[in-house]
Amino acid sequence: MTDALFSGLLRLPTGPVDLSAIDTHAKPGFDGNKDDGERALADLGPELADMQEQLFAERTTGSTRRVLLVLQGMDTSGKGGVIRHAIGLVDPQGVRITSFKAPTEEELSHDFLWRIERAVPGPGYVGVFDRSHYEDVLIGRVRDIADEAEIERRYDAINAFEQGLVDDGVIIIKVMLHISADEQRERLLARLDDPTKHWKFNPGDIDERMLWSDYQEAYRIALERTNTPAAPWYVVPSDRKWYRNLAVAQLLREALLGLDLAWPEADFDVEEQRRRLTDETPIDAGTDSGTDKATDRTGPA
Amino acid sequence: MTDALFSGLLRLPTGPVDLSAIDTHAKPGFDGNKDDGERALADLGPELADMQEQLFAERTTGSTRRVLLVLQGMDTSGKGGVIRHAIGLVDPQGVRITSFKAPTEEELSHDFLWRIERAVPGPGYVGVFDRSHYEDVLIGRVRDIADEAEIERRYDAINAFEQGLVDDGVIIIKVMLHISADEQRERLLARLDDPTKHWKFNPGDIDERMLWSDYQEAYRIALERTNTPAAPWYVVPSDRKWYRNLAVAQLLREALLGLDLAWPEADFDVEEQRRRLTDETPIDAGTDSGTDKATDRTGPA
C-alpha cells in the first residue's frame, strides 16, 4: 500500500475536473520540509537506478516493456527541473528525452501524432516527453490553431494512441505540473533578475501568461477527456520545487515497482564460460595471436 | 596550463603508435587514491554542469558549437561506466547518447558513415558515442568484414568526416579506454560471479577476447591513421575504473573550458519585461480572461 502512496494521492479522479480546487502549494504524501524532501529524493536514487537498469536488462529477454513520462505544465512549472533532478538520478544511457517545440514544416505536413510516435521510447527505456501531443489540444485550442472539430477528434485520437502504447508494453505516466499564476510571476521575475537565466526567458512567455485562464480551461478539458484507466493523469502541486521533484520521482518509482522487475537469468552455462576464461591460453598482447578468423559478423557486444 | 593537464598528458602523440608501451594501470595527472579520485570526480560536477548549460544556452544565439565524445575500448573497458559516472554529472537534457551495435540491414545498405552522421549531436549538445565509426575499421579489420582496400578508404573517409564536423563547430574528444588483457579476464569473471551482471555477459565476448592481439593491432593502426590535429586521440589508462571516470570527466571539462563559454546576453529589454509582469492586471484563474487571441502559432516556449 505504502508503495503506491503518491500515485494514489496524485491521481486525478475520473469525471469532471476542477483544477482551481487542487492546491498548487500542497505536498500530499509528505510531511517534511524542504531539506527533508531533498534528502528523500537523493535517497530514492539507488533504488530508482537499480530498477531502471533492471528494466534496461529486461530488453535482452525480448520484453517490450518501457516507461513513458509525459510532462506538461505552464511555463516555469518545472519540466526541466524535474528532468534534471529526478530523471538525473538514473543512468542517462537508459533514458530518452524528447523536448517538443513548435512543430517544423515537415511535422506540420503530417498528423499531429506523427512526430510523437517517432519519439516513443524503445523497449527497456525510460522515455521523457518535455511537452507532448497535449500541446496540440492546449496551445492548439487557446491559439485557435485547430478548429473545434479537429480538437475534438484529437482527444479521441490521443486516447486510442495511448491505449495502443499500453497494449504494446508502455507504462505511461502523465503528469501535469500545477503552479499558481502568482508563482509563475515570481519565477518569471526571478529569471529577469538573474543574468544566467536570461537565455531561458522569452517575451512571448508573458504573452502566453496573459492567456492564463484560457490555458487552465484548455487543461481542464484535456485532462477530463484523456484521463483514461490505461493512461491516467497525475496532477502534481508544483509551487514547491522540491516537492514537485520528489513527487515525480515517487511516481516513477511506483510505476517501476509495479513492473515487479528482476534480473534476467543467464541464457548460457555460467560454469562453462568461467572455464573458458580460467583455462585459456595466456594472451600475448604484443604479437598477433594467429587465431582463426570467423567470417560472420558478430558485431560489437 | 593546469587547465589542460589531462588533455596534455593523455593525448596520443602523432606518429607511430605502440599501445603496449602505455601502462593501463597508470593514473597520469592524479596523485591520489581511489577515495580521492571519486571525490575529485564529484567535485567536478557543478562546474561541468554549469559549462554544459552554458553550451546549451549558446544555441539560442545561433551558435553551432557542440561536443562529441567518442568512446572506444575493448569489452568491459568501461564505456558504460564512463557515461554513468562522468556524463551522469550533467543535465541529461543536454546530452545525446548513441550506442552503436552491429549494423542493421538498412544501415548496411548505406555507407558506414551514414548512421554516424545521423547521430551527430545538434548545436548546444554534448553527444556521446558508445562505440562508433571506429568499429568499422576495428571489428571490420579483425573479422575480415571489409577488405584491405575498403579499410584503407575508411581511414581517409573518417578523417575527412571528422574534419567536416570540426569545421561545423563540433569539438571531438576521441577516447580509447585502454585496459590489459588480464584486467578484462578479471572483469568478465566478475560478471559471471554476479547474477545481477549476467545480462551484460555474452559468450561471444570471449570469442572476441581470443582475438585480443588482433584487436590491439587494429587499434594501433586506426589510432595512428586517424590521430589528426583536428580530432586527436586520447588514450586513457582504464584498469582503475575511478581514474578512467575522472580522466574522461577532466577531458570533457578541459574541452568545455577551451570554448570560453559565457551566459548569452538578453536580446530583450529586461526592464520592460519586468514592468509587464509587475504592472499586469491581476489574473483570475477561475474565469476566462477574454484576452484577444493571436492567430499565428508561436509554439511552446
Side-chain angles (χ1 to χ4, degrees), chain B residues 190-244:
Chain B
R191 282 189 185 175
L192 290 172
D193 288 343
D194 181 353
T196 75
K197 299 277 192 286
H198 285 171
W199 70 276
K200 291 188 179 183
F201 185 92
N202 187 326
D205 297 345
I206 301 184
D207 301 332
E208 295 303 301
R209 170 177 171 75
M210 289 167 69
L211 301 170
W212 183 273
S213 39
D214 292 342
Y215 273 105
Q216 294 296 305
E217 174 67 3
Y219 266 106
R220 185 191 67 73
I221 301 170
L223 266 57
E224 201 168 293
R225 292 292 300 275
T226 62
N227 191 26
T228 59
W233 274 101
Y234 300 92
V235 178
V236 172
S238 297
D239 280 1
R240 287 181 164 102
K241 295 177 181 176
W242 64 264
Y243 174 79
R244 170 201 73 200

Side-chain angles (χ1 to χ4, degrees), chain B residues 26-281:
Chain B
K27 41 179 182 143
F30 195 75
D31 278 336
N33 61 21
K34 181 179 175 182
D35 282 353
D36 301 326
E38 289 178 347
R39 200 159 37 236
L41 177 64
D43 288 348
L44 285 181
E47 185 187 6
L48 271 183
D50 259 18
M51 289 194 292
Q52 174 271 321
E53 192 179 350
Q54 285 180 323
L55 180 65
F56 198 68
E58 197 183 74
R59 285 188 318 159
T60 61
T61 68
S63 165
T64 64
R65 298 202 296 181
R66 49 226 141 128
V67 171
L68 174 60
L69 173 65
V70 175
L71 295 174
Q72 283 289 156
M74 300 292 287
D75 278 336
T76 77
S77 62
K79 299 175 289 290
V82 162
I83 296 173
R84 180 186 295 220
H85 297 287
I87 301 303
L89 293 171
V90 310
D91 190 338
Q93 289 170 98
V95 174
R96 285 288 176 268
I97 299 163
T98 310
S99 181
F100 291 99
K101 308 291 185 189
T104 62
E105 282 299 314
E106 185 187 17
E107 288 167 351
L108 284 172
S109 74
H110 295 271
D111 181 66
F112 77 105
L113 288 173
W114 180 76
R115 65 176 184 163
I116 307 295
E117 283 162 357
R118 291 154 55 99
V120 170
Y125 282 88
V126 173
V128 182
F129 284 179
D130 173 357
R131 301 187 188 268
S132 67
H133 42 303
Y134 285 98
E135 291 300 325
D136 297 284
V137 291
L138 293 168
I139 192 170
R141 170 182 285 272
V142 172
R143 290 291 193 178
D144 287 337
I145 298 162
D147 65 26
E148 185 67 26
E150 170 64 9
I151 297 283
E152 282 299 315
R153 182 190 74 81
R154 288 180 183 175
Y155 297 127
D156 294 334
I158 287 171
N159 288 337
F161 167 65
E162 292 179 351
Q163 180 67 57
L165 293 183
V166 170
D167 293 343
D168 204 25
V170 183
I171 311 298
I172 309 180
I173 311 170
K174 300 192 295 195
V175 172
M176 182 203 178
L177 303 176
H178 189 35
I179 57 171
S180 67
D182 283 349
E183 180 68 20
Q184 189 193 52
R185 188 183 56 238
E186 293 311 307
R187 292 184 185 179
L188 288 172
L189 284 169
R191 282 189 185 175
L192 290 172
D193 288 343
D194 181 353
T196 75
K197 299 277 192 286
H198 285 171
W199 70 276
K200 291 188 179 183
F201 185 92
N202 187 326
D205 297 345
I206 301 184
D207 301 332
E208 295 303 301
R209 170 177 171 75
M210 289 167 69
L211 301 170
W212 183 273
S213 39
D214 292 342
Y215 273 105
Q216 294 296 305
E217 174 67 3
Y219 266 106
R220 185 191 67 73
I221 301 170
L223 266 57
E224 201 168 293
R225 292 292 300 275
T226 62
N227 191 26
T228 59
W233 274 101
Y234 300 92
V235 178
V236 172
S238 297
D239 280 1
R240 287 181 164 102
K241 295 177 181 176
W242 64 264
Y243 174 79
R244 170 201 73 200
N245 296 339
L246 175 62
V248 177
Q250 285 282 8
L251 290 174
L252 176 59
R253 172 178 169 269
E254 293 172 10
L256 289 167
L257 278 172
L259 291 178
D260 215 358
L261 293 156
W263 295 108
E265 304 247 344
D267 58 357
F268 51 86
D269 182 330
V270 175
E271 276 316 310
E272 180 192 340
Q273 298 304 321
R274 190 178 279 122
R275 271 194 308 276
R276 289 180 71 194
L277 285 164
T278 50
D279 298 351
E280 73 181 4
T281 315

Side-chain angles (χ1 to χ4, degrees), chain A residues 20 49 52-53 56-60 75 79-81 83-84 87-88 91-93 95-103 108 115 125 130-131 135-136 139-145 154 181 184-185 188-189 192-214 216-217 263-270 273-274 276-278 280 283-301, chain B residues 20 49 52-53 56-60 75 79-81 83-84 87-88 91-93 95-103 108 115 125 130-131 135-136 139-145 154 181 184-185 188-189 192-193 195-214 216-217 263-270 273-274 276-278 280 283-301:
Chain A
S20 69
Q52 174 272 322
E53 192 180 350
F56 198 68
E58 197 183 73
R59 286 189 317 159
T60 61
D75 278 335
K79 299 176 289 292
I83 296 174
R84 181 186 293 223
I87 300 303
D91 190 337
Q93 290 171 96
V95 175
R96 285 288 175 268
I97 300 164
T98 309
S99 182
F100 291 99
K101 308 291 183 187
L108 285 171
R115 64 175 185 163
Y125 283 88
D130 174 357
R131 302 186 187 268
E135 291 299 324
D136 297 284
I139 192 170
R141 171 182 286 272
V142 172
R143 289 291 192 180
D144 286 340
I145 298 162
R154 288 181 184 176
Q184 189 194 54
R185 188 183 57 238
L188 288 171
L189 284 169
L192 290 172
D193 288 341
D194 181 353
T196 76
K197 299 277 192 283
H198 285 172
W199 70 277
K200 292 187 179 185
F201 185 92
N202 187 326
D205 297 346
I206 301 183
D207 300 331
E208 295 303 300
R209 172 177 170 76
M210 290 167 69
L211 300 168
W212 182 273
S213 39
D214 292 341
Q216 295 295 305
E217 174 67 1
W263 295 107
E265 305 246 345
D267 58 357
F268 51 85
D269 182 332
V270 175
Q273 298 303 322
R274 192 177 280 125
R276 289 180 71 193
L277 285 164
T278 51
E280 74 181 6
I283 285 174
D284 176 359
T287 59
D288 192 283
S289 68
T291 314
D292 285 340
K293 293 174 183 177
T295 50
D296 62 317
R297 175 155 198 181
T298 58
Chain B
S20 68
Q52 174 271 321
E53 192 179 350
F56 198 68
E58 197 183 74
R59 285 188 318 159
T60 61
D75 278 336
K79 299 175 289 290
I83 296 173
R84 180 186 295 220
I87 301 303
D91 190 338
Q93 289 170 98
V95 174
R96 285 288 176 268
I97 299 163
T98 310
S99 181
F100 291 99
K101 308 291 185 189
L108 284 172
R115 65 176 184 163
Y125 282 88
D130 173 357
R131 301 187 188 268
E135 291 300 325
D136 297 284
I139 192 170
R141 170 182 285 272
V142 172
R143 290 291 193 178
D144 287 337
I145 298 162
R154 288 180 183 175
Q184 189 193 52
R185 188 183 56 238
L188 288 172
L189 284 169
L192 290 172
D193 288 343
T196 75
K197 299 277 192 286
H198 285 171
W199 70 276
K200 291 188 179 183
F201 185 92
N202 187 326
D205 297 345
I206 301 184
D207 301 332
E208 295 303 301
R209 170 177 171 75
M210 289 167 69
L211 301 170
W212 183 273
S213 39
D214 292 342
Q216 294 296 305
E217 174 67 3
W263 295 108
E265 304 247 344
D267 58 357
F268 51 86
D269 182 330
V270 175
Q273 298 304 321
R274 190 178 279 122
R276 289 180 71 194
L277 285 164
T278 50
E280 73 181 4
I283 285 175
D284 176 0
T287 59
D288 192 283
S289 68
T291 313
D292 284 340
K293 294 175 183 180
T295 50
D296 62 317
R297 176 157 200 178
T298 58

